[in-house]
Amino acid sequence: AQSVTQLGSHVSVSEGALVLLRCNYSSSVPPYLFWYVQYPNQGLQLLLKYTSAATLVKGINGFEAEFKKSETSFHLTKPSAHMSDAAEYFCAVSGRYSSASKIIFGSGTRLSIRP
Amino acid sequence: DAGVIQSPRHEVTEMGQEVTLRCKPISGHDYLFWYRQTMMRGLELLIYFNNNVPIDDSGMPEDRFSAKMPNASFSTLKIQPSEPRDSAVYFCASSGAENTGELFFGEGSRLTVL
């Protein structure tokens, strides 16, 4: 079975500051891990994914995430926040070799950017 | 390429009325998913199809909900009769046969049941 826990339902940072959104996962099999972003009044779109290659994964818009098996974490970071990064971010997990139906989404973290 | 297309974008209806939500997946995608998003419950998987066949409908809340996929390019989610607690944003998503978990979402249908 898989699950994800996103720490913090709301994160606020200043423009130009570091963004850190936390995600811890639980999986009984080697996982695939994902970050999705949802802008207001839109569907979710894939930001980045880990599928067992490099543990540091780079995504769109300057975001990256590092898979740390020892910590069962997959935190999302961006060195310098931009106003356009304001959105809701979802961490998700699925079991490697399992079907997409087993994708489990976290409860989401709303990111606000202060001018 | 066109993404996943959903209609209507917004629907306001009265309790007891029938609601039909529509989805056109990305051409060539073998999997289609219906999700519901609410503040209280987050993102919930309702049902998914593979090659037009319903595979898992365990997330469908009750018999008032039904979903069909008559062909590879069209799916519907129907609620009959609708209730205020069905108010939510309903998303359709599709993915390719490789099924690595990358889902492509539509923009959603916001349903309000009065």
Side-chain angles (χ1 to χ4, degrees):
Chain A
Q2 289 88 34
S3 66
V4 288
T5 301
Q6 291 185 241
L7 303 175
S9 59
H10 184 209
V11 171
S12 179
V13 302
S14 298
E15 190 174 18
L18 172 72
V19 175
L20 171 61
L21 304 182
R22 300 178 188 272
C23 173
N24 287 92
Y25 72 92
S26 172
S27 180
S28 55
V29 298
Y32 287 146
L33 292 160
F34 311 85
W35 278 98
Y36 282 81
V37 60
Q38 184 179 28
Y39 298 103
N41 299 314
Q42 295 187 25
L44 282 71
Q45 63 183 86
L46 186 68
L47 201 55
L48 50 81
K49 63 181 179 181
Y50 165 76
T51 55
S52 81
T55 57
L56 182 62
V57 180
K58 294 186 183 299
I60 61 173
N61 301 337
F63 284 93
E64 62 183 35
E66 186 172 8
F67 172 68
K68 291 187 176 180
K69 184 178 179 180
S70 61
E71 298 177 8
T72 61
S73 68
F74 191 59
H75 302 331
L76 181 70
T77 61
K78 181 174 180 177
S80 177
H82 191 274
M83 295 300 291
S84 61
D85 295 327
E88 184 130 19
Y89 292 80
F90 294 88
C91 183
V93 64
S94 71
R96 206 177 301 171
Y97 313 126
S98 69
S99 74
S101 70
K102 302 302 183 185
I103 295 174
I104 305 300
F105 285 90
S107 55
T109 297
R110 182 168 299 278
L111 177 63
S112 300
I113 312 297
R114 302 187 299 270
Chain B
D1 287 339
V4 175
I5 299 172
Q6 292 187 246
S7 64
R9 290 295 311 278
H10 301 275
E11 174 91 5
V12 180
T13 190
E14 293 188 345
M15 182 173 63
Q17 296 299 305
E18 178 179 294
V19 174
T20 300
L21 308 178
R22 299 172 178 80
C23 175
K24 176 179 169 57
I26 292 173
S27 177
H29 278 187
D30 295 333
Y31 289 82
L32 184 140
F33 305 81
W34 282 101
Y35 284 88
R36 178 172 68 176
Q37 186 178 39
T38 61
M39 290 291 291
M40 291 296 294
R41 300 174 68 90
L43 201 60
E44 303 174 275
L45 176 64
L46 300 178
I47 185 172
Y48 84 99
F49 296 82
N50 179 215
N51 292 323
N52 313 337
V53 176
I55 303 300
D56 185 348
D57 65 354
S58 59
M60 296 285 263
E62 48 197 272
D63 292 345
R64 297 185 296 107
F65 286 69
S66 62
K68 294 182 180 180
M69 192 166 185
N71 57 62
S73 60
F74 184 66
S75 177
T76 60
L77 177 67
K78 185 175 293 186
I79 308 172
Q80 167 63 20
S82 58
E83 297 183 2
R85 59 188 168 132
D86 302 330
S87 298
V89 182
Y90 291 82
F91 287 102
C92 176
S94 67
S95 72
E98 63 274 10
N99 221 9
T100 58
E102 181 174 357
L103 304 182
F104 295 82
F105 283 79
E107 293 190 318
S109 294
R110 182 176 295 275
L111 173 65
T112 302
V113 183
L114 303 175

